[in-house]
Amino acid sequence: MADSIIIIGGGVSGLTLALSLHELGISCRVFESAAAIKRLGVGINLLPHAMRELTQLGLQAKLGAHAVETREMSYYNRFGQFIFTEPRGRFAGYEWPQFSIHRGDFHQVLVDAVRERLGADAITMDHRCTGVEQDDTGVTAHFVDTAGRSLASVRGAAVLGCDGIHSAIRRQLYPDEGPPSYQGINMWRGVSRWKPFLSGATMVQAGWLDVGKMVIYPISAPDDEGLQVINWVAEIQSPRHVMQDWMLAGNIDDFYPTYADWHFPWLDVAGLIRAHEVLLEYPMVDRDPLPQWTFGRVTLVADAAHPMYPRGANGAGQGILDARALARCMQAAPDPAAALKAYEAERLPAANSVVLKSRTAPPDLILQVVHERSGDRPFERLDDLVSQEELAAITDGYKRVAGFDRASLNAKS
Ligand SMILES: Cc1cc2nc3c(=O)[nH]c(=O)nc-3n(C[C@H](O)[C@H](O)[C@H](O)COP(=O)(O)OP(=O)(O)OC[C@H]3O[C@@H](n4cnc5c(N)ncnc54)[C@H](O)[C@@H]3O)c2cc1C
């Protein structure tokens, strides 16, 4: 077992990494701090570049059984006026779909695949990593359980830190960094059962952060009553924020007044919010890009390495790209330290660019442009404010930086 690779964290990136290493014949084990697998969070979007990797891992059909195949992304102002739309995934000519899925379903598909392929004991639960020590021959990871009791340390050839935005591995490597930074946008996320709107598979972004923004998309097929599970997130510029916990319960009174008059002909947003079955609150946070992820036989992956604003639906996608690249590098270079450096050279510049782009020019910049040029009033003619070409250039620019512009991605098939 000492030659085995130790993966810290059994979230999106850790499990994708385990599947990818296993596929290449590299032995690994996953250590997860949670005592049991829980259905965390609400919806998530898997963009075509992430779906390409998950398809190569043989997971497209399993994910598709739970997901809505997103047809289009459409933008509206806070008065419900149409601004811009573009087809998504296969509807836009990609070879891979874009899926909108419950995060819990996505995670369960990964967990099941890891247990089926690597063995029932491949994920060791209730093991929170507290630190690592390395020498020339390997790395030792130290653990405690949920009660804080010390557990046996584990030795491996390398430690891959997939332990998320509050990574203990990152904290050890960068002890003076402090918590993730809050820049003033708070989020309330919910799911409601509601009638299909627009195409029934449309992802909507509406409003703007200063006056209230919404992201809304369905994550299930209609049920027997014709209702879909609709995921929504309210994003508001606000000094209020409570530090990140995936399951912090939200209070509707804290944000509903902003949306109380959002009754669009195509969707009663206020009604959708009031119908919430789940309501969570968390701040939008990221971290400044790091200059280095790999230190000898230890490296950082996904949110541990590059947490980003979720304004491009790309954090998990970038983590999946990390996991795939890291597995390939570990296969190509027999020396773990060299493999981890090669991974860093490939992924660090790309992922850091997405972090910065998500701050300065994510796709929802489209909404900001119209909000500012219209003076936050209903417009008579959109063309007087902005052309469709200018708006398309915003989303195309983001796709290029995030690695999913159609031409280059399809060329990889
Ligand atoms: C509101 C919001 C919406 C988002 N929407 C999207 C989207 O639509 N599309 C998208 O691609 N991304 C989205 N993201 C980003 C995405 O959720 C993250 O980027 C992704 O989950 C990161 O994966 P990860 O494996 O790094 O971390 P996680 O999925 O958070 O997993 C980390 C795991 O490590 C475990 N862990 C933590 N500490 C330790 C420890 N010390 N020892 C052992 N285990 C530990 C945790 O329990 C957890 O299981 C969104 C994020 C937010 C906040």
Side-chain angles (χ1 to χ4, degrees):
M1 266 304 174
D3 288 329
S4 180
I5 304 299
I6 298 172
I7 297 173
I8 305 296
V12 171
S13 65
L15 298 179
T16 306
L17 184 51
L19 291 169
S20 305
L21 289 170
H22 176 75
E23 186 186 40
L24 299 175
I26 301 170
S27 151
C28 63
R29 286 175 69 192
V30 180
F31 294 88
E32 164 58 44
S33 57
I37 303 288
K38 285 197 199 126
R39 198 175 157 82
L40 284 187
V42 277
I44 191 165
N45 250 268
L46 299 171
L47 304 179
H49 55 339
M51 280 309 305
R52 171 176 181 265
E53 305 298 338
L54 296 168
T55 301
Q56 285 181 356
L57 283 171
L59 298 176
Q60 188 186 121
K62 288 215 161 87
L63 293 169
H66 299 281
V68 169
E69 183 164 356
T70 310
R71 175 177 282 275
E72 61 195 354
M73 169 88 98
S74 301
Y75 297 81
Y76 293 80
N77 65 9
R78 74 181 174 104
F79 309 103
Q81 290 180 293
F82 171 79
I83 295 172
F84 181 77
T85 191
E86 61 176 8
R88 283 298 182 120
R90 287 192 283 223
F91 300 99
Y94 285 90
E95 305 222 352
W96 302 276
Q98 175 170 332
F99 279 164
S100 299
I101 187 168
H102 193 291
R103 174 185 282 278
D105 290 331
F106 175 36
H107 191 233
Q108 195 61 53
V109 167
L110 294 174
V111 168
D112 291 346
V114 168
R115 287 183 172 154
E116 267 166 42
R117 298 177 194 182
L118 280 74
D121 60 352
I123 309 171
T124 307
M125 305 298 295
D126 204 5
H127 270 60
R128 181 163 69 80
C129 182
T130 52
V132 295
E133 288 173 276
Q134 59 178 311
D135 54 41
D136 290 345
T137 61
V139 193
T140 304
H142 304 294
F143 297 95
V144 295
D145 66 12
T146 11
R149 288 179 297 242
S150 289
L151 299 165
S153 297
V154 179
R155 180 111 177 131
V159 163
L160 314 179
C162 301
D163 49 344
I165 190 162
H166 301 298
S167 167
I169 307 293
R170 178 168 174 147
R171 201 160 49 245
Q172 178 175 341
L173 299 174
Y174 291 93
D176 301 325
E177 199 182 25
S181 57
Y182 179 68
Q183 299 298 330
I185 304 167
N186 204 30
M187 298 184 289
W188 288 265
R189 303 203 77 184
V191 290
S192 310
R193 284 181 195 276
W194 204 256
K195 295 178 286 295
F197 62 90
L198 299 173
S199 70
T202 303
M203 183 168 179
V204 164
Q205 303 221 39
W208 181 240
L209 301 164
D210 304 358
V211 289
K213 187 192 146 197
M214 286 290 286
V215 180
I216 310 169
Y217 54 89
I219 54 172
S220 82
D223 60 18
D224 293 346
E225 296 168 49
L227 304 179
Q228 288 178 290
V229 178
I230 309 287
N231 175 85
W232 50 264
V233 47
E235 302 174 359
I236 306 179
Q237 197 90 43
S238 158
R240 174 203 165 86
H241 68 287
V242 184
M243 214 44 231
Q244 173 111 341
D245 174 339
W246 285 116
M247 293 307 276
L248 180 72
N251 179 350
I252 189 168
D253 298 331
D254 292 334
F255 70 101
Y256 178 73
T258 300
Y259 303 96
D261 59 352
W262 284 38
H263 307 286
F264 305 154
W266 47 272
L267 180 64
D268 177 5
V269 177
L272 179 79
I273 293 173
R274 284 198 310 275
H276 68 87
E277 293 178 350
V278 173
L279 180 54
L280 306 172
E281 170 181 353
Y282 28 84
M284 194 180 285
V285 289
D286 71 358
R287 286 184 182 277
D288 288 335
L290 291 176
Q292 188 180 349
W293 298 344
T294 294
F295 295 78
R297 292 168 177 263
V298 177
T299 198
L300 301 172
V301 181
D303 274 13
H306 49 72
M308 60 186 67
Y309 289 162
R311 286 171 61 184
N314 225 316
Q318 294 300 316
I320 289 165
L321 298 188
D322 288 352
R324 302 290 287 161
L326 179 49
R328 280 196 306 274
C329 290
M330 298 209 76
Q331 188 194 35
D335 168 31
L340 302 196
K341 266 292 166 203
Y343 150 73
E344 176 186 285
E346 178 179 338
R347 287 294 304 154
L348 182 143
N352 282 353
S353 304
V354 187
V355 172
L356 296 177
K357 190 84 171 165
S358 300
R359 286 180 181 174
T360 57
D364 65 7
L365 193 65
I366 286 178
L367 298 176
Q368 184 179 12
V369 167
V370 174
H371 169 76
E372 288 176 354
R373 293 187 195 172
S374 66
D376 187 35
R377 283 190 296 274
F379 51 76
E380 292 286 319
R381 269 175 30 101
L382 181 64
D383 289 347
D384 295 340
L385 303 176
V386 65
S387 69
Q388 292 290 299
E389 290 71 29
E390 188 181 345
L391 298 178
I394 294 173
T395 133
D396 290 346
Y398 179 80
K399 285 177 201 151
R400 274 194 298 280
V401 169
F404 70 105
D405 71 283
R406 186 183 56 210
S408 346
L409 192 63
N410 279 353
K412 290 186 185 169
S413 72

